[in-house]
Amino acid sequence: MRLLLVEDNVALADSLCSVLKRAGYAVDWRTDGRDAVVLGEQEPYDLAILDLGLPGMDGLVVLQRWRAAGSSLPVLILTARSRWTERVEGLQAGADDYLTKPFHNEELLLRVQALLRRAHGRVPQALLSVAGLQLDEAQQQVRVGDAEPLSLSASEFKLLRYFMLNPGKVLSKTQLAEHLYDYEDERDSNVIEVLINHLRRKLGREAIETRRGQGYVLVGRGE
């Protein structure tokens, strides 16, 4: 899953980037509200974490610009502004959730996880359960049916999570690359093929179908 972090506090942003990347997210970080507006409209992010007190353009205006342009991008506001009236303004502008600084990283990760699942029509719960698979995002492990949990590499975990949030959908290599890599990464479709083969060895060959000329579909092992 690919996130846009908009935060002008360098120390905090650097820490959050590390936390989010360890949790299996690709992260693009920007400090200026004007840059955020452009990236939020041009890039296929799964979620934005948006500070309000930004240089260039206030975060609330950034959010209003996204919504005016028709964007349904899930947005978690992250700010030191703690007055209830400011929280109301953020929610009225189209924010999906609101977290006040200071905060615990664990709470941030759980809020991000919940927003992403809701955006993909999944019920927030301890494990992501789809098509006979159970994904433990905290441990980055998957259970196939009643078998013992299997450990996943960081890249396998990111790919499987995206498949499990989009079950039954045909996902092209381009789509997968856009949501697995950040803005600066080189996107190699051959790596996607290798990772899918790795997942098939762990989940079963039939778990991920190839649709020639279209992409891949997570079928799983049956509910």
Side-chain angles (χ1 to χ4, degrees):
M1 311 298 288
R2 188 174 169 204
L3 312 183
L4 174 60
L5 172 63
V6 192
E7 170 60 63
D8 65 328
N9 183 315
V10 175
L12 175 59
D14 187 57
S15 174
L16 285 178
C17 283
S18 297
V19 168
L20 292 165
K21 288 179 180 179
R22 282 198 302 271
Y25 300 106
V27 184
D28 290 332
W29 167 39
R30 294 295 184 271
T31 60
D32 192 293
R34 293 165 296 190
D35 294 336
V37 168
V38 175
L39 275 183
E41 293 176 349
Q42 294 182 349
E43 295 294 317
Y45 292 109
D46 296 289
L47 180 141
I49 300 174
L50 179 66
D51 186 24
L52 292 185
L54 297 169
M57 182 182 293
D58 187 79
L60 194 62
V61 178
V62 172
L63 177 56
Q64 291 168 339
R65 291 276 294 272
W66 284 342
R67 296 301 186 238
S71 173
S72 59
L73 174 70
V75 175
L76 169 61
I77 286 181
L78 192 66
T79 181
R81 301 178 187 176
S82 57
R83 284 171 31 191
W84 70 269
T85 53
E86 292 169 324
R87 288 202 293 272
V88 168
E89 286 178 353
L91 294 170
Q92 287 178 333
D96 298 273
D97 202 354
Y98 203 110
L99 188 57
T100 303
K101 302 172 186 176
F103 57 88
H104 292 286
N105 290 333
E106 291 80 2
E107 181 180 5
L108 172 70
L109 290 175
L110 287 172
R111 287 175 181 263
V112 167
Q113 182 187 95
L115 287 174
L116 288 171
R117 291 189 187 183
R118 289 194 191 101
H120 288 82
R122 311 303 303 181
V123 177
Q125 54 191 5
L127 300 177
L128 179 59
S129 300
V130 174
L133 306 174
Q134 288 187 318
L135 185 67
D136 185 332
E137 296 186 52
Q139 299 298 320
Q140 299 193 7
Q141 294 179 332
V142 63
R143 184 190 295 271
V144 183
D146 296 325
E148 289 297 310
L150 300 171
S151 294
L152 301 165
S153 71
S155 296
E156 290 168 354
F157 168 68
K158 288 195 289 185
L159 179 59
L160 180 57
R161 177 168 56 187
Y162 194 70
F163 269 122
M164 291 181 68
L165 286 171
N166 295 277
K169 295 182 181 179
V170 179
L171 303 174
S172 68
K173 289 181 184 178
T174 299
Q175 283 177 289
L176 293 171
E178 285 178 340
H179 291 272
L180 293 177
Y181 300 115
D182 62 37
Y183 194 79
E184 304 297 333
D185 279 341
E186 182 177 348
R187 301 172 186 180
D188 189 342
S189 61
N190 291 327
V191 173
I192 300 291
E193 289 185 24
V194 171
L195 291 174
I196 286 174
N197 285 329
H198 287 177
L199 288 176
R200 282 171 169 161
R201 284 198 289 270
K202 293 184 176 182
L203 308 178
R205 298 296 302 177
E206 72 280 10
I208 301 174
E209 290 185 356
T210 298
R211 300 287 175 86
R212 300 223 175 262
Q214 296 178 293
Y216 303 94
V217 180
L218 176 68
V219 177
R221 301 296 296 271
E223 297 287 0

